[in-house]
Amino acid sequence: MAETTGVTVRAVVDALDARYPRNWAESWDRVGLVLGEFEHPVTRVLCVVDCVPETVDQALDLGADLIVAHHPLLLKPVSSIAPDTFKGALVHRLIRAGVALYTAHTNADVANPGVSDALAARLGLTGLRPLAPAEGAAAGEGRGLGRVGELSEPLTLARLAEFAAGRLPVTAAGVRAAGDPERLIRVLAVCGGAGDSFLADAARSGADAYLCADLRHHPVSEHLASGGPALVDVAHWATERPWLDEVAAWLREVFAVEVLVSDVDTDPWTVHANRNDLEISP
Ligand SMILES: [Zn+2]
């Protein structure tokens, strides 16, 4: 039963903290309430991957009282939030407008359901298990980073890349794959966000392919040369955007507030050119 009256920043923060305990986050991570008055009422929430000028504009335009962001705005220590700094300007705008900011990052990645569950669901994967099971405070109950599951039907790597491009949010970067395009993929590992630290886990998982973001030349070449699963590289934002729908649906169940999801593409890549796609004039 959704809570109907007097929803405050504190109430939403407490619920989010219970679903994504802060001690589930990696030690380097910074999660939880970033700024905002605990007693401020919440009637409208905006879920975003990144707190950047474009999504802050959107929050202010929509009259949101709270932004739930995936990536931390202030990950590294700062000695100033002066308004002439990039992040300081955002802090000032949010505080002036009375908009609170909350972050659930690696604690939402490791949760079950978490960020990679939403990505796996978009791709229709079933029989999910963690790619790297959680250790420490978050250990147990299917929690961990990344997921491994089965596609509803086997696809060649080339078809899988097209399938992922069709199921995931559209970005300029699109989807690219590494490995034999004809390789048949039944079991797929996925990880929302940067995934190259789990290449060895993907190889051990028995997956035929591993889909994540931010893959690089040398780790990919070495991984493939050592017989690892094929790789599918997707824009970072597109791998985490599906989670916004999941957390928004959950917030709507818990609180009688309006919860909106940002489709502002905050992936930094804005142009993709491919010579094969060009009409080459003689
Ligand atoms: Zn990320």
Side-chain angles (χ1 to χ4, degrees):
M1 188 64 193
E3 198 172 316
T4 51
T5 51
V7 178
T8 59
V9 168
R10 186 183 300 278
V12 182
V13 166
D14 285 350
L16 285 163
D17 280 351
R19 195 181 200 217
Y20 306 118
R22 298 184 192 197
N23 65 353
W24 287 2
E26 300 285 326
S27 57
W28 50 262
D29 205 3
R30 297 292 177 265
V31 299
L33 188 69
V34 180
L35 56 89
E37 302 280 356
F38 280 113
E39 304 316 321
H40 193 102
V42 174
T43 57
R44 194 168 293 153
V45 179
L46 179 66
C47 301
V48 307
V49 171
D50 292 291
C51 180
V52 290
E54 293 79 4
T55 51
V56 169
D57 287 344
Q58 190 180 23
L60 271 52
D61 288 348
L62 292 169
D65 310 293
L66 169 67
I67 295 174
V68 174
H70 184 47
H71 292 145
L73 174 66
L74 302 172
L75 182 61
K76 293 177 183 154
V78 293
S79 54
S80 165
I81 51 163
D84 60 351
T85 62
F86 176 76
K87 293 184 176 183
L90 293 178
V91 168
H92 279 78
R93 288 186 67 201
L94 290 169
I95 291 176
R96 254 198 324 265
V99 182
L101 172 63
Y102 182 94
T103 298
H105 189 215
T106 53
N107 48 336
D109 288 330
V110 82
N112 180 19
V115 174
S116 292
D117 290 297
L119 171 59
R122 282 281 188 115
L123 299 169
L125 301 185
T126 53
L128 297 181
R129 56 190 160 91
L131 173 60
E135 294 170 356
E141 296 179 32
R143 288 187 288 268
L145 296 167
R147 294 291 183 269
V148 184
E150 264 187 60
L151 289 164
S152 60
E153 57 173 333
L155 298 172
T156 64
L157 179 61
R159 281 285 302 123
L160 173 64
E162 290 171 359
F163 173 74
R167 289 290 185 100
L168 296 174
V170 175
T171 58
V175 175
R176 56 187 180 167
D180 177 0
E182 296 305 316
R183 181 171 179 168
L184 204 59
I185 313 300
R186 290 186 175 83
V187 176
L188 180 65
V190 299
C191 182
D196 58 5
S197 51
F198 305 112
L199 286 171
D201 299 278
R204 276 193 298 271
S205 74
D208 303 304
Y210 173 40
L211 179 150
C212 61
D214 298 351
L215 289 174
R216 293 174 298 141
H217 177 99
H218 290 297
V220 168
S221 300
E222 288 164 25
H223 166 90
L224 291 175
S226 61
L231 297 170
V232 183
D233 185 74
V234 179
H236 193 125
W237 174 80
T239 63
E240 296 173 334
R241 164 64 185 79
W243 172 70
L244 303 183
D245 289 326
E246 198 275 335
V247 70
W250 176 80
L251 282 168
R252 286 182 206 113
E253 272 176 32
V254 178
F255 298 103
V257 296
E258 193 179 352
V259 186
L260 306 164
V261 169
S262 175
D263 261 314
V264 173
D265 174 0
T266 52
D267 207 69
W269 307 109
T270 53
V271 175
H272 182 110
N274 188 331
R275 199 166 199 276
N276 293 336
D277 299 337
L278 303 177
E279 282 183 45
I280 307 286
S281 40

